[in-house]
C-alpha cells in the first residue's frame, strides 16, 4: 500500500476502535485482546520469524541494542523522577520505559517495509522485560513487594512462545514455508497488524482529561521521556552501533512509540497513578503516529 493509503487507513482503524469501544453490541475490548494475545499475535510471531531470512541480520546485536535502549530509557526516566514519591516514580518509570512494542509499531513497520523480521527481534527483549521487570517494579513501587508468580506468566506469554516455536522449527522443517497451508496461516497472522489498531482504539482512554498531557507533572514527564528523550536515545545508539538500515528504521520507529496500552492494567493493578497513565496514552499515541509519518515523508524512515 502507498504511504497515503496508510496515512488514511491506520488512523481510521484506530477511530473505528474508539467508536466500537463506546457502542454496546457485544464485542468488548477484552474479547479482541484475548484473540490477539493468545491466538493471532503468536501466529504472526511464528510465521514471520519462520519465513525470515536472518542471514543478513545479527541476532545478538539486535537483542543487545534492544536491551541497551530499554535500559537507557529506564535510567533517564528514573533520574527525572527520583525525587518523587514512590507512586509518581513508579508511574513515570513504567510508562517511560515500557512502550507499545507490538500493537502500534508492527502495523507501521509492515506497511512501510513489508517485513517484520527486525521488529520481531527488537521487540522480544522488551516484551520479556515488560512482563518481568516491569511488573516486578510496579509491584514494588505500588505495593512494596515483588510478585514472584509473574515469572510463570511471562515465561508462558503466548507471543513469546510463538516466536520461539518459529525460531526452533525453521532449521528443521523450513520447507513448510513454501506450502499453501503456511501461506494461509501467515495471512491469518497478518490480520493482527490491522486488528491491533482497532484494539488500541478500543482501550485508549478518551475523555476531556485525555487531552491534558501536561495537566500534571507526572503526565508531562512521561510524554517528554517517550516522545523527546526516547528518540534522542535511539539516534545516539544508531550513531554508535551503525546498524543495517532495517534495524535503524525499526529502532527509530520503536523509539517514537507511546507507553504500552497494557501499562494501564499494570498501573491500576498495583495502585499507581491511573489518571496520569490514561493521559499519557491518547494524545501521545496520535503524536507518535504523526511523527512517524512525518519522518517517513521526509525520507528519514
Amino acid at each position: 500500500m502507498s504511504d497515503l493509503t496508510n496515512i488514511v487507513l491506520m488512523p481510521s482503524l484506530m477511530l473505528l476502535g474508539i467508536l466500537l469501544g463506546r457502542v454496546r453490541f457485544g464485542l468488548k475490548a477484552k474479547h479482541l485482546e484475548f484473540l490477539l494475545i493468545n491466538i493471532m499475535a503468536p501466529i504472526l510471531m511464528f510465521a514471520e520469524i519462520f519465513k525470515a531470512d536472518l542471514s543478513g541480520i545479527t541476532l545478538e546485536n539486535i537483542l543487545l541494542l534492544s536491551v541497551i535502549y530499554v535500559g537507557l530509557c529506564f535510567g533517564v526516566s528514573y533520574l527525572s523522577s527520583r525525587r518523587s514519591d514512590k507512586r509518581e516514580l513508579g508511574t513515570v518509570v513504567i510508562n517511560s520505559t515500557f512502550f507499545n512494542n507490538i500493537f502500534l509499531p508492527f502495523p507501521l513497520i509492515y506497511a512501510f517495509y513489508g517485513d517484520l523480521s527486525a521488529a520481531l527481534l527488537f521487540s522480544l527483549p522488551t516484551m520479556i522485560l515488560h512482563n518481568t521487570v516491569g511488573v516486578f517494579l510496579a509491584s514494588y513501587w505500588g505495593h512494596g513487594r515483588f510478585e514472584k508468580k509473574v515469572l510463570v506468566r511471562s515465561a508462558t506469554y503466548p507471543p513469546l512462545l510463538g516466536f520461539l516455536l518459529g525460531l526452533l522449527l525453521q532449521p528443521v522443517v523450513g520447507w513448510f514455508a513454501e506450502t499453501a497451508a503456511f501461506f494461509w496461516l501467515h495471512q491469518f497472522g497478518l490480520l493482527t497488524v490491522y486488528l491491533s489498531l482497532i484494539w488500541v482504539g478500543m482501550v485508549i482512554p478518551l475523555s476531556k482529561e485525555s487531552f491534558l498531557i501536561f495537566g500534571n507533572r507526572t503526565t508531562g514527564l512521561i510524554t517528554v521521556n517517550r516522545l523527546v528523550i526516547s528518540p534522542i536515545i535511539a539516534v545516539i545508539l544508531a550513531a554508535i552501533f551503525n546498524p543495517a538500515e532495517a534495524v535503524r528504521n525499526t529502532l527509530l520507529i520503536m523509539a517514537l512509540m507511546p507507553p504500552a496500552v497494557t501499562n494501564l492494567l499494570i498501573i491500576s493493578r498495583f495502585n499507581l497513578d491511573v489518571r496520569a497513565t490514561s493521559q499519557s496514552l491518547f494524545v501521545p499515541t496520535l503524536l507518535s503516529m504523526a511523527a512517524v509519518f512525518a519522518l517517513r515523508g521526509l525520507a528519514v524512515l
Side-chain angles (χ1 to χ4, degrees):
M1 290 185 289
S2 67
D3 287 349
L4 180 60
T5 302
N6 291 320
I7 290 174
V8 174
L9 177 62
M10 292 187 178
S12 297
L13 289 173
M14 286 185 60
L15 177 60
L16 175 60
I18 292 173
L19 295 175
L20 290 176
R22 283 149 184 80
V23 175
R24 296 182 180 180
F25 66 102
L27 177 65
K28 297 182 179 179
K30 65 179 181 181
H31 299 148
L32 188 54
E33 178 185 10
F34 179 87
L35 176 65
L36 287 170
I37 295 293
N38 294 286
I39 300 175
M40 300 193 69
I43 290 176
L44 176 66
M45 301 285 275
F46 167 82
E48 282 291 324
I49 202 64
F50 189 86
K51 74 175 185 62
D53 180 9
L54 300 179
S55 58
I57 296 178
T58 305
L59 176 64
E60 295 81 3
N61 286 350
I62 298 181
L63 298 180
L64 177 63
L65 185 61
S66 177
V67 171
I68 292 176
Y69 165 74
V70 171
L72 289 175
C73 287
F74 171 84
V76 170
S77 61
Y78 182 84
L79 291 175
S80 70
S81 54
R82 68 187 185 282
R83 299 182 185 277
S84 307
D85 59 51
K86 284 188 176 182
R87 189 166 184 263
E88 181 178 352
L89 173 64
T91 303
V92 171
V93 172
I94 296 299
N95 286 303
S96 299
T97 304
F98 303 106
F99 56 98
N100 194 322
N101 59 39
I102 295 180
F103 298 116
L104 193 57
F106 276 22
L108 292 167
I109 292 170
Y110 186 78
F112 292 157
Y113 312 115
D115 181 28
L116 290 171
S117 301
L120 290 174
L121 296 175
F122 189 90
S123 68
L124 183 63
T126 63
M127 186 191 310
I128 295 172
L129 291 171
H130 189 189
N131 287 280
T132 52
V133 176
V135 178
F136 275 130
L137 291 176
S139 176
Y140 175 71
W141 281 320
H143 287 171
R145 64 178 185 272
F146 290 113
E147 190 168 281
K148 297 179 181 179
K149 60 183 179 181
V150 70
L151 289 175
V152 177
R153 288 198 300 271
S154 63
T156 57
Y157 190 54
L160 173 61
L161 295 179
F163 176 93
L164 294 176
L165 183 63
L167 191 65
L168 292 173
L169 290 183
Q170 185 193 50
V172 181
V173 288
W175 52 265
F176 179 60
E178 305 299 325
T179 65
F182 178 82
F183 172 81
W184 289 110
L185 183 70
H186 184 214
Q187 294 304 304
F188 179 74
L190 286 175
L191 289 176
T192 306
V193 302
Y194 303 109
L195 289 178
S196 64
L197 290 171
I198 296 175
W199 178 75
V200 168
M202 292 179 72
V203 297
I204 285 182
L206 177 59
S207 65
K208 291 181 180 179
E209 286 191 345
S210 300
F211 295 92
L212 302 175
I213 57 174
F214 293 106
N216 61 66
R217 168 185 160 84
T218 304
T219 308
L221 281 173
I222 295 169
T223 303
V224 170
N225 284 338
R226 280 302 330 146
L227 299 185
V228 179
I229 304 301
S230 170
I232 292 175
I233 291 174
V235 170
I236 294 173
L237 288 178
I240 294 174
F241 280 81
N242 192 27
E245 183 179 3
V247 178
R248 181 190 71 89
N249 291 342
T250 295
L251 171 61
L252 293 177
I253 291 175
M254 292 287 191
L256 284 165
M257 291 297 101
V261 178
T262 51
N263 283 351
L264 189 58
L265 301 176
I266 296 174
I267 293 296
S268 174
R269 176 179 170 189
F270 295 111
N271 198 34
L272 296 176
D273 195 336
V274 175
R275 177 172 173 268
T277 301
S278 298
Q279 290 176 339
S280 69
L281 289 176
F282 183 70
V283 171
T285 295
L286 300 181
L287 293 176
S288 171
M289 293 187 68
V292 170
F293 279 117
L295 292 176
R296 177 68 173 176
L298 294 171
V300 175
L301 296 174

